[in-house]
Amino acid sequence: MDPLAVFRDFQPEPGKPLQPQLTALFRRLLTCGRLKVGDQLPPLQQLAELFGTNYFTVNAALKVLVKEHLLERRPRIGTFVRAAQAVPTRVGIYHHLSSHMQAEDSQFEHRLISSLNFRLDSRGISCELFADERPLREQAQPLPRLVEAIRTGRVQQLLVLGSDYSARRWLRAFELPVVFSSYYPDSFCVVQQLPELALAAAAQLRRRNCRSAGLISGVTPNALSPWDRRFHCVFCDALREAGIEYDPTQIITPRDSLGHSRAAFGYHLCNWLLSMEELPEGLFIYPDSLAPGVISALTAAGMGERFHLVIGKNRELPLFLPFPADLLEFSIEALADELISTLAAAVRGGKPELRFWSFQLLEGASSIRGQRSFSEKEA
């Protein structure tokens, strides 16, 4: 029997990365039983030749399933299908909503929830969303709908996509596996390393030979636990290390949570920046919900290519760039995969896992001219 026969029907989707497509293929074959417990996979080099790629891409695709304990690596022997492990079954997704959140600011949350729901549903795992729309002061108390769902067994595992600090106490108190997506590490958690992002932005501005730089940020000035640093402070320190000058008045961050649209925030603060006598050569913008406002202000002023722009961006969300910018891109789809993988680890028990959301550098991106080069950065 041809050991590669089960894989020969695979047709990659053009224009999309191959690695996640291969991971999805192997997961489907495991789910439907075409790959059975104890089966040995063909050698990675044979699979690479069949799929028209390289050993490293196939290895990375399988590594995701090894982390989920669906596959097992035996040194010098090969990769085998593992016996069924404890897996998530009934997942609740808790999402904190701010009363001032605008439609353009919620695209990230909508895309992430959609990605999670698709992935869980495709694995036969029930999924229920709990959007907490209560006033912030009330979110310090448990959400009654969620408490009832846990009590009756409708929810047996929990993904937390956003929560106020006061809500974390009662969310952690539930006697069930809980995984957080956050800037702030928590037991089982997928973390976006904002300090690493700030360092990468400063390094890219240095590579662009910027002698001075500024920042327009939507990150509130809270300390980034466990780094005990603030986002803009890390960025400023990195600029100094790179020999890049900055004016403190051009390091713009909100004093507190934004009470209006982030796009409007970006627009007005960019205009304020443009009114200054001395302008920086480089500008870092984060998050990408600020970018449409900044871009609109630069376009209206006819200064679109006056700055070297570095933007922290979610890859799957649209952003019109009429002039070139360097992007530090995060993938929402990759975050969904990491959250589910971490939840599976939490279900199995053991030592709490802390994982990080990686980003990639995309240089010279433009909606008009296309993009020039691409390189990966791990956060």
Side-chain angles (χ1 to χ4, degrees), residues 120-164:
L120 293 170
D121 183 67
S122 66
R123 301 177 198 184
I125 301 171
S126 69
C127 176
E128 187 172 352
L129 177 64
F130 297 87
D132 197 342
E133 301 177 3
R134 298 175 297 171
L136 195 58
R137 63 181 180 278
E138 295 182 18
Q139 293 183 18
Q141 300 300 319
L143 182 66
R145 292 187 293 110
L146 178 57
V147 172
E148 177 65 14
I150 293 173
R151 187 188 68 79
T152 59
R154 291 199 338 262
V155 168
Q156 297 179 355
Q157 300 88 26
L158 190 60
L159 288 172
V160 179
L161 305 187
S163 62
D164 185 67

mmCIF file of all heavy atoms in Angstrom, residues 120-164:
data_model
loop_
_atom_site.group_PDB
_atom_site.id
_atom_site.type_symbol
_atom_site.label_atom_id
_atom_site.label_comp_id
_atom_site.label_asym_id
_atom_site.label_seq_id
_atom_site.Cartn_x
_atom_site.Cartn_y
_atom_site.Cartn_z
ATOM 1 N N LEU A 120 -13.037 25.701 16.494
ATOM 2 C CA LEU A 120 -13.653 24.837 17.487
ATOM 3 C C LEU A 120 -14.780 24.017 16.868
ATOM 4 O O LEU A 120 -14.894 22.810 17.113
ATOM 5 C CB LEU A 120 -14.171 25.684 18.656
ATOM 6 C CG LEU A 120 -13.091 26.377 19.507
ATOM 7 C CD1 LEU A 120 -13.729 27.371 20.458
ATOM 8 C CD2 LEU A 120 -12.269 25.354 20.287
ATOM 9 N N ASP A 121 -15.604 24.677 16.053
ATOM 10 C CA ASP A 121 -16.724 23.978 15.428
ATOM 11 C C ASP A 121 -16.246 22.862 14.498
ATOM 12 O O ASP A 121 -16.838 21.777 14.455
ATOM 13 C CB ASP A 121 -17.589 24.981 14.661
ATOM 14 C CG ASP A 121 -18.817 24.331 14.040
ATOM 15 O OD1 ASP A 121 -19.692 23.900 14.801
ATOM 16 O OD2 ASP A 121 -18.887 24.252 12.796
ATOM 17 N N SER A 122 -15.153 23.121 13.760
ATOM 18 C CA SER A 122 -14.651 22.115 12.822
ATOM 19 C C SER A 122 -14.109 20.888 13.538
ATOM 20 O O SER A 122 -13.954 19.827 12.937
ATOM 21 C CB SER A 122 -13.556 22.726 11.937
ATOM 22 O OG SER A 122 -12.415 23.066 12.703
ATOM 23 N N ARG A 123 -13.825 21.021 14.840
ATOM 24 C CA ARG A 123 -13.339 19.886 15.629
ATOM 25 C C ARG A 123 -14.446 19.266 16.468
ATOM 26 O O ARG A 123 -14.180 18.427 17.334
ATOM 27 C CB ARG A 123 -12.191 20.336 16.532
ATOM 28 C CG ARG A 123 -11.015 20.911 15.765
ATOM 29 C CD ARG A 123 -9.934 21.402 16.694
ATOM 30 N NE ARG A 123 -9.044 22.317 15.981
ATOM 31 C CZ ARG A 123 -7.964 22.856 16.491
ATOM 32 N NH1 ARG A 123 -7.614 22.573 17.725
ATOM 33 N NH2 ARG A 123 -7.215 23.681 15.794
ATOM 34 N N GLY A 124 -15.674 19.703 16.234
ATOM 35 C CA GLY A 124 -16.798 19.153 16.983
ATOM 36 C C GLY A 124 -16.880 19.649 18.411
ATOM 37 O O GLY A 124 -17.495 19.008 19.269
ATOM 38 N N ILE A 125 -16.267 20.804 18.698
ATOM 39 C CA ILE A 125 -16.270 21.373 20.046
ATOM 40 C C ILE A 125 -17.310 22.485 20.105
ATOM 41 O O ILE A 125 -17.296 23.414 19.290
ATOM 42 C CB ILE A 125 -14.880 21.929 20.404
ATOM 43 C CG1 ILE A 125 -13.823 20.823 20.321
ATOM 44 C CG2 ILE A 125 -14.887 22.561 21.790
ATOM 45 C CD1 ILE A 125 -12.400 21.331 20.440
ATOM 46 N N SER A 126 -18.232 22.403 21.044
ATOM 47 C CA SER A 126 -19.254 23.444 21.168
ATOM 48 C C SER A 126 -18.620 24.729 21.672
ATOM 49 O O SER A 126 -17.643 24.716 22.425
ATOM 50 C CB SER A 126 -20.362 23.000 22.110
ATOM 51 O OG SER A 126 -19.895 22.924 23.448
ATOM 52 N N CYS A 127 -19.177 25.851 21.255
ATOM 53 C CA CYS A 127 -18.594 27.160 21.562
ATOM 54 C C CYS A 127 -19.725 28.148 21.839
ATOM 55 O O CYS A 127 -20.702 28.212 21.089
ATOM 56 C CB CYS A 127 -17.735 27.621 20.383
ATOM 57 S SG CYS A 127 -17.045 29.262 20.543
ATOM 58 N N GLU A 128 -19.589 28.904 22.910
ATOM 59 C CA GLU A 128 -20.611 29.884 23.278
ATOM 60 C C GLU A 128 -19.924 31.195 23.668
ATOM 61 O O GLU A 128 -18.974 31.202 24.448
ATOM 62 C CB GLU A 128 -21.461 29.366 24.428
ATOM 63 C CG GLU A 128 -22.640 30.254 24.764
ATOM 64 C CD GLU A 128 -23.588 29.616 25.782
ATOM 65 O OE1 GLU A 128 -23.401 28.421 26.104
ATOM 66 O OE2 GLU A 128 -24.497 30.323 26.246
ATOM 67 N N LEU A 129 -20.412 32.303 23.106
ATOM 68 C CA LEU A 129 -19.819 33.621 23.356
ATOM 69 C C LEU A 129 -20.529 34.327 24.500
ATOM 70 O O LEU A 129 -21.756 34.364 24.554
ATOM 71 C CB LEU A 129 -19.896 34.479 22.087
ATOM 72 C CG LEU A 129 -19.380 35.917 22.202
ATOM 73 C CD1 LEU A 129 -17.887 35.933 22.498
ATOM 74 C CD2 LEU A 129 -19.681 36.696 20.932
ATOM 75 N N PHE A 130 -19.732 34.931 25.394
ATOM 76 C CA PHE A 130 -20.253 35.715 26.502
ATOM 77 C C PHE A 130 -19.629 37.115 26.417
ATOM 78 O O PHE A 130 -18.503 37.335 26.879
ATOM 79 C CB PHE A 130 -19.926 35.055 27.843
ATOM 80 C CG PHE A 130 -20.573 33.707 28.010
ATOM 81 C CD1 PHE A 130 -19.937 32.560 27.541
ATOM 82 C CD2 PHE A 130 -21.816 33.585 28.602
ATOM 83 C CE1 PHE A 130 -20.533 31.320 27.674
ATOM 84 C CE2 PHE A 130 -22.419 32.347 28.739
ATOM 85 C CZ PHE A 130 -21.772 31.210 28.265
ATOM 86 N N ALA A 131 -20.348 38.033 25.780
ATOM 87 C CA ALA A 131 -19.879 39.414 25.645
ATOM 88 C C ALA A 131 -20.351 40.200 26.866
ATOM 89 O O ALA A 131 -21.557 40.300 27.122
ATOM 90 C CB ALA A 131 -20.420 40.030 24.363
ATOM 91 N N ASP A 132 -19.413 40.725 27.615
ATOM 92 C CA ASP A 132 -19.734 41.459 28.846
ATOM 93 C C ASP A 132 -19.908 42.935 28.514
ATOM 94 O O ASP A 132 -18.931 43.680 28.385
ATOM 95 C CB ASP A 132 -18.622 41.252 29.870
ATOM 96 C CG ASP A 132 -19.066 41.630 31.278
ATOM 97 O OD1 ASP A 132 -20.072 42.350 31.404
ATOM 98 O OD2 ASP A 132 -18.409 41.182 32.246
ATOM 99 N N GLU A 133 -21.166 43.354 28.392
ATOM 100 C CA GLU A 133 -21.478 44.733 28.011
ATOM 101 C C GLU A 133 -21.835 45.590 29.220
ATOM 102 O O GLU A 133 -22.292 46.727 29.061
ATOM 103 C CB GLU A 133 -22.632 44.737 27.004
ATOM 104 C CG GLU A 133 -22.324 43.946 25.741
ATOM 105 C CD GLU A 133 -23.509 43.891 24.788
ATOM 106 O OE1 GLU A 133 -24.543 44.529 25.097
ATOM 107 O OE2 GLU A 133 -23.400 43.231 23.757
ATOM 108 N N ARG A 134 -21.632 45.077 30.404
ATOM 109 C CA ARG A 134 -21.986 45.829 31.609
ATOM 110 C C ARG A 134 -21.067 47.040 31.796
ATOM 111 O O ARG A 134 -19.947 47.064 31.275
ATOM 112 C CB ARG A 134 -21.876 44.922 32.837
ATOM 113 C CG ARG A 134 -22.820 43.725 32.841
ATOM 114 C CD ARG A 134 -22.556 42.835 34.037
ATOM 115 N NE ARG A 134 -21.212 42.254 34.002
ATOM 116 C CZ ARG A 134 -20.666 41.583 35.008
ATOM 117 N NH1 ARG A 134 -21.334 41.425 36.137
ATOM 118 N NH2 ARG A 134 -19.440 41.066 34.896
ATOM 119 N N PRO A 135 -21.530 48.059 32.528
ATOM 120 C CA PRO A 135 -20.628 49.165 32.873
ATOM 121 C C PRO A 135 -19.383 48.628 33.572
ATOM 122 O O PRO A 135 -19.429 47.602 34.265
ATOM 123 C CB PRO A 135 -21.478 50.024 33.829
ATOM 124 C CG PRO A 135 -22.890 49.708 33.465
ATOM 125 C CD PRO A 135 -22.883 48.259 33.056
ATOM 126 N N LEU A 136 -18.272 49.315 33.372
ATOM 127 C CA LEU A 136 -16.981 48.831 33.860
ATOM 128 C C LEU A 136 -16.999 48.512 35.350
ATOM 129 O O LEU A 136 -16.434 47.506 35.790
ATOM 130 C CB LEU A 136 -15.898 49.873 33.552
ATOM 131 C CG LEU A 136 -14.447 49.395 33.662
ATOM 132 C CD1 LEU A 136 -14.197 48.220 32.722
ATOM 133 C CD2 LEU A 136 -13.491 50.535 33.368
ATOM 134 N N ARG A 137 -17.676 49.326 36.149
ATOM 135 C CA ARG A 137 -17.688 49.096 37.599
ATOM 136 C C ARG A 137 -18.387 47.784 37.963
ATOM 137 O O ARG A 137 -18.087 47.163 38.983
ATOM 138 C CB ARG A 137 -18.359 50.267 38.322
ATOM 139 C CG ARG A 137 -19.821 50.462 37.970
ATOM 140 C CD ARG A 137 -20.423 51.650 38.704
ATOM 141 N NE ARG A 137 -21.817 51.847 38.364
ATOM 142 C CZ ARG A 137 -22.250 52.476 37.289
ATOM 143 N NH1 ARG A 137 -21.364 52.990 36.426
ATOM 144 N NH2 ARG A 137 -23.546 52.615 37.060
ATOM 145 N N GLU A 138 -19.329 47.344 37.097
ATOM 146 C CA GLU A 138 -20.049 46.100 37.375
ATOM 147 C C GLU A 138 -19.252 44.870 36.945
ATOM 148 O O GLU A 138 -19.557 43.756 37.370
ATOM 149 C CB GLU A 138 -21.403 46.108 36.669
ATOM 150 C CG GLU A 138 -22.359 47.183 37.178
ATOM 151 C CD GLU A 138 -23.698 47.124 36.473
ATOM 152 O OE1 GLU A 138 -24.002 46.084 35.857
ATOM 153 O OE2 GLU A 138 -24.441 48.129 36.530
ATOM 154 N N GLN A 139 -18.239 45.063 36.114
ATOM 155 C CA GLN A 139 -17.467 43.920 35.631
ATOM 156 C C GLN A 139 -16.511 43.374 36.674
ATOM 157 O O GLN A 139 -15.844 42.361 36.445
ATOM 158 C CB GLN A 139 -16.717 44.308 34.356
ATOM 159 C CG GLN A 139 -17.651 44.588 33.187
ATOM 160 C CD GLN A 139 -16.926 44.909 31.906
ATOM 161 O OE1 GLN A 139 -15.742 44.630 31.751
ATOM 162 N NE2 GLN A 139 -17.641 45.509 30.961
ATOM 163 N N ALA A 140 -16.456 44.022 37.826
ATOM 164 C CA ALA A 140 -15.681 43.476 38.937
ATOM 165 C C ALA A 140 -16.386 42.287 39.566
ATOM 166 O O ALA A 140 -15.776 41.544 40.350
ATOM 167 C CB ALA A 140 -15.431 44.549 39.988
ATOM 168 N N GLN A 141 -17.665 42.073 39.220
ATOM 169 C CA GLN A 141 -18.438 40.944 39.715
ATOM 170 C C GLN A 141 -18.659 39.941 38.588
ATOM 171 O O GLN A 141 -18.724 40.319 37.419
ATOM 172 C CB GLN A 141 -19.786 41.424 40.268
ATOM 173 C CG GLN A 141 -19.661 42.416 41.418
ATOM 174 C CD GLN A 141 -18.911 41.821 42.596
ATOM 175 O OE1 GLN A 141 -19.111 40.646 42.952
ATOM 176 N NE2 GLN A 141 -18.048 42.619 43.225
ATOM 177 N N PRO A 142 -18.791 38.648 38.915
ATOM 178 C CA PRO A 142 -18.981 37.624 37.882
ATOM 179 C C PRO A 142 -20.190 37.911 36.996
ATOM 180 O O PRO A 142 -21.197 38.450 37.461
ATOM 181 C CB PRO A 142 -19.169 36.337 38.689
ATOM 182 C CG PRO A 142 -18.475 36.596 39.987
ATOM 183 C CD PRO A 142 -18.672 38.049 40.267
ATOM 184 N N LEU A 143 -20.062 37.554 35.731
ATOM 185 C CA LEU A 143 -21.155 37.713 34.773
ATOM 186 C C LEU A 143 -22.178 36.603 35.034
ATOM 187 O O LEU A 143 -21.854 35.416 34.872
ATOM 188 C CB LEU A 143 -20.608 37.620 33.348
ATOM 189 C CG LEU A 143 -21.606 37.800 32.211
ATOM 190 C CD1 LEU A 143 -22.158 39.222 32.207
ATOM 191 C CD2 LEU A 143 -20.941 37.491 30.865
ATOM 192 N N PRO A 144 -23.409 36.941 35.419
ATOM 193 C CA PRO A 144 -24.392 35.903 35.800
ATOM 194 C C PRO A 144 -24.617 34.859 34.717
ATOM 195 O O PRO A 144 -24.727 33.660 35.018
ATOM 196 C CB PRO A 144 -25.659 36.716 36.090
ATOM 197 C CG PRO A 144 -25.155 38.061 36.519
ATOM 198 C CD PRO A 144 -23.936 38.302 35.676
ATOM 199 N N ARG A 145 -24.692 35.260 33.462
ATOM 200 C CA ARG A 145 -24.940 34.298 32.379
ATOM 201 C C ARG A 145 -23.820 33.267 32.290
ATOM 202 O O ARG A 145 -24.051 32.087 32.027
ATOM 203 C CB ARG A 145 -25.087 35.030 31.041
ATOM 204 C CG ARG A 145 -26.322 35.892 30.925
ATOM 205 C CD ARG A 145 -26.473 36.451 29.520
ATOM 206 N NE ARG A 145 -25.415 37.413 29.203
ATOM 207 C CZ ARG A 145 -24.439 37.187 28.328
ATOM 208 N NH1 ARG A 145 -24.363 36.025 27.695
ATOM 209 N NH2 ARG A 145 -23.534 38.114 28.081
ATOM 210 N N LEU A 146 -22.592 33.729 32.484
ATOM 211 C CA LEU A 146 -21.452 32.814 32.427
ATOM 212 C C LEU A 146 -21.442 31.879 33.632
ATOM 213 O O LEU A 146 -21.178 30.671 33.503
ATOM 214 C CB LEU A 146 -20.150 33.615 32.353
ATOM 215 C CG LEU A 146 -18.855 32.800 32.328
ATOM 216 C CD1 LEU A 146 -18.836 31.822 31.164
ATOM 217 C CD2 LEU A 146 -17.648 33.740 32.247
ATOM 218 N N VAL A 147 -21.743 32.420 34.807
ATOM 219 C CA VAL A 147 -21.794 31.596 36.018
ATOM 220 C C VAL A 147 -22.819 30.477 35.860
ATOM 221 O O VAL A 147 -22.561 29.312 36.203
ATOM 222 C CB VAL A 147 -22.129 32.466 37.244
ATOM 223 C CG1 VAL A 147 -22.370 31.588 38.470
ATOM 224 C CG2 VAL A 147 -20.999 33.458 37.519
ATOM 225 N N GLU A 148 -23.990 30.799 35.306
ATOM 226 C CA GLU A 148 -25.039 29.807 35.113
ATOM 227 C C GLU A 148 -24.615 28.753 34.094
ATOM 228 O O GLU A 148 -24.886 27.548 34.278
ATOM 229 C CB GLU A 148 -26.329 30.497 34.652
ATOM 230 C CG GLU A 148 -27.491 29.573 34.350
ATOM 231 C CD GLU A 148 -27.987 28.821 35.584
ATOM 232 O OE1 GLU A 148 -27.616 29.200 36.719
ATOM 233 O OE2 GLU A 148 -28.736 27.841 35.404
ATOM 234 N N ALA A 149 -23.950 29.183 33.009
ATOM 235 C CA ALA A 149 -23.508 28.236 31.986
ATOM 236 C C ALA A 149 -22.486 27.258 32.554
ATOM 237 O O ALA A 149 -22.487 26.070 32.209
ATOM 238 C CB ALA A 149 -22.920 28.990 30.797
ATOM 239 N N ILE A 150 -21.600 27.739 33.436
ATOM 240 C CA ILE A 150 -20.618 26.858 34.067
ATOM 241 C C ILE A 150 -21.298 25.923 35.064
ATOM 242 O O ILE A 150 -20.994 24.731 35.134
ATOM 243 C CB ILE A 150 -19.512 27.697 34.739
ATOM 244 C CG1 ILE A 150 -18.692 28.440 33.673
ATOM 245 C CG2 ILE A 150 -18.608 26.823 35.597
ATOM 246 C CD1 ILE A 150 -17.687 29.411 34.233
ATOM 247 N N ARG A 151 -22.253 26.457 35.818
ATOM 248 C CA ARG A 151 -22.948 25.640 36.815
ATOM 249 C C ARG A 151 -23.699 24.478 36.173
ATOM 250 O O ARG A 151 -23.726 23.359 36.699
ATOM 251 C CB ARG A 151 -23.923 26.515 37.609
ATOM 252 C CG ARG A 151 -24.584 25.795 38.778
ATOM 253 C CD ARG A 151 -25.678 26.644 39.403
ATOM 254 N NE ARG A 151 -26.805 26.802 38.486
ATOM 255 C CZ ARG A 151 -27.755 25.876 38.283
ATOM 256 N NH1 ARG A 151 -27.686 24.707 38.933
ATOM 257 N NH2 ARG A 151 -28.735 26.099 37.448
ATOM 258 N N THR A 152 -24.327 24.733 35.014
ATOM 259 C CA THR A 152 -25.123 23.701 34.350
ATOM 260 C C THR A 152 -24.293 22.810 33.426
ATOM 261 O O THR A 152 -24.830 21.888 32.813
ATOM 262 C CB THR A 152 -26.246 24.354 33.532
ATOM 263 O OG1 THR A 152 -25.677 25.251 32.562
ATOM 264 C CG2 THR A 152 -27.197 25.123 34.436
ATOM 265 N N GLY A 153 -22.987 23.112 33.283
ATOM 266 C CA GLY A 153 -22.125 22.282 32.457
ATOM 267 C C GLY A 153 -22.103 22.646 30.987
ATOM 268 O O GLY A 153 -21.447 21.961 30.194
ATOM 269 N N ARG A 154 -22.806 23.724 30.580
ATOM 270 C CA ARG A 154 -22.748 24.147 29.180
ATOM 271 C C ARG A 154 -21.355 24.630 28.811
ATOM 272 O O ARG A 154 -20.942 24.535 27.668
ATOM 273 C CB ARG A 154 -23.756 25.286 28.904
ATOM 274 C CG ARG A 154 -25.184 24.868 28.954
ATOM 275 C CD ARG A 154 -26.116 25.836 28.248
ATOM 276 N NE ARG A 154 -25.639 27.184 28.069
ATOM 277 C CZ ARG A 154 -25.956 28.212 28.863
ATOM 278 N NH1 ARG A 154 -26.703 28.036 29.934
ATOM 279 N NH2 ARG A 154 -25.498 29.416 28.586
ATOM 280 N N VAL A 155 -20.638 25.156 29.773
ATOM 281 C CA VAL A 155 -19.255 25.610 29.578
ATOM 282 C C VAL A 155 -18.357 24.833 30.526
ATOM 283 O O VAL A 155 -18.583 24.825 31.741
ATOM 284 C CB VAL A 155 -19.121 27.126 29.825
ATOM 285 C CG1 VAL A 155 -17.651 27.539 29.902
ATOM 286 C CG2 VAL A 155 -19.830 27.907 28.728
ATOM 287 N N GLN A 156 -17.336 24.172 29.954
ATOM 288 C CA GLN A 156 -16.409 23.389 30.763
ATOM 289 C C GLN A 156 -14.969 23.867 30.630
ATOM 290 O O GLN A 156 -14.091 23.427 31.367
ATOM 291 C CB GLN A 156 -16.511 21.911 30.385
ATOM 292 C CG GLN A 156 -17.881 21.328 30.678
ATOM 293 C CD GLN A 156 -18.000 19.866 30.295
ATOM 294 O OE1 GLN A 156 -17.083 19.290 29.709
ATOM 295 N NE2 GLN A 156 -19.131 19.265 30.619
ATOM 296 N N GLN A 157 -14.716 24.749 29.658
ATOM 297 C CA GLN A 157 -13.418 25.405 29.495
ATOM 298 C C GLN A 157 -13.696 26.854 29.089
ATOM 299 O O GLN A 157 -14.762 27.165 28.555
ATOM 300 C CB GLN A 157 -12.558 24.722 28.422
ATOM 301 C CG GLN A 157 -12.243 23.254 28.696
ATOM 302 C CD GLN A 157 -13.302 22.321 28.155
ATOM 303 O OE1 GLN A 157 -14.009 22.653 27.203
ATOM 304 N NE2 GLN A 157 -13.436 21.146 28.747
ATOM 305 N N LEU A 158 -12.725 27.733 29.338
ATOM 306 C CA LEU A 158 -12.976 29.159 29.114
ATOM 307 C C LEU A 158 -11.782 29.833 28.445
ATOM 308 O O LEU A 158 -10.638 29.673 28.873
ATOM 309 C CB LEU A 158 -13.257 29.844 30.450
ATOM 310 C CG LEU A 158 -13.764 31.280 30.421
ATOM 311 C CD1 LEU A 158 -15.083 31.385 29.663
ATOM 312 C CD2 LEU A 158 -13.938 31.806 31.844
ATOM 313 N N LEU A 159 -12.069 30.572 27.360
ATOM 314 C CA LEU A 159 -11.095 31.445 26.722
ATOM 315 C C LEU A 159 -11.473 32.887 27.043
ATOM 316 O O LEU A 159 -12.619 33.290 26.833
ATOM 317 C CB LEU A 159 -11.097 31.244 25.201
ATOM 318 C CG LEU A 159 -10.498 29.945 24.662
ATOM 319 C CD1 LEU A 159 -10.751 29.833 23.162
ATOM 320 C CD2 LEU A 159 -9.003 29.885 24.951
ATOM 321 N N VAL A 160 -10.520 33.670 27.532
ATOM 322 C CA VAL A 160 -10.756 35.067 27.890
ATOM 323 C C VAL A 160 -9.992 35.942 26.912
ATOM 324 O O VAL A 160 -8.763 35.948 26.899
ATOM 325 C CB VAL A 160 -10.317 35.358 29.339
ATOM 326 C CG1 VAL A 160 -10.560 36.825 29.673
ATOM 327 C CG2 VAL A 160 -11.066 34.449 30.313
ATOM 328 N N LEU A 161 -10.721 36.692 26.074
ATOM 329 C CA LEU A 161 -10.085 37.491 25.026
ATOM 330 C C LEU A 161 -9.810 38.913 25.458
ATOM 331 O O LEU A 161 -9.037 39.619 24.841
ATOM 332 C CB LEU A 161 -10.967 37.494 23.768
ATOM 333 C CG LEU A 161 -11.331 36.128 23.213
ATOM 334 C CD1 LEU A 161 -12.056 36.291 21.894
ATOM 335 C CD2 LEU A 161 -10.104 35.250 23.052
ATOM 336 N N GLY A 162 -10.469 39.359 26.474
ATOM 337 C CA GLY A 162 -10.238 40.712 26.959
ATOM 338 C C GLY A 162 -10.968 40.858 28.279
ATOM 339 O O GLY A 162 -12.105 40.407 28.417
ATOM 340 N N SER A 163 -10.335 41.447 29.254
ATOM 341 C CA SER A 163 -10.997 41.610 30.542
ATOM 342 C C SER A 163 -10.363 42.773 31.282
ATOM 343 O O SER A 163 -9.167 43.039 31.152
ATOM 344 C CB SER A 163 -10.881 40.337 31.383
ATOM 345 O OG SER A 163 -9.526 40.052 31.670
ATOM 346 N N ASP A 164 -11.160 43.456 32.061
ATOM 347 C CA ASP A 164 -10.641 44.482 32.939
ATOM 348 C C ASP A 164 -9.868 43.806 34.075
ATOM 349 O O ASP A 164 -10.120 42.640 34.411
ATOM 350 C CB ASP A 164 -11.798 45.320 33.496
ATOM 351 C CG ASP A 164 -11.294 46.489 34.320
ATOM 352 O OD1 ASP A 164 -10.672 47.392 33.730
ATOM 353 O OD2 ASP A 164 -11.507 46.487 35.545
#
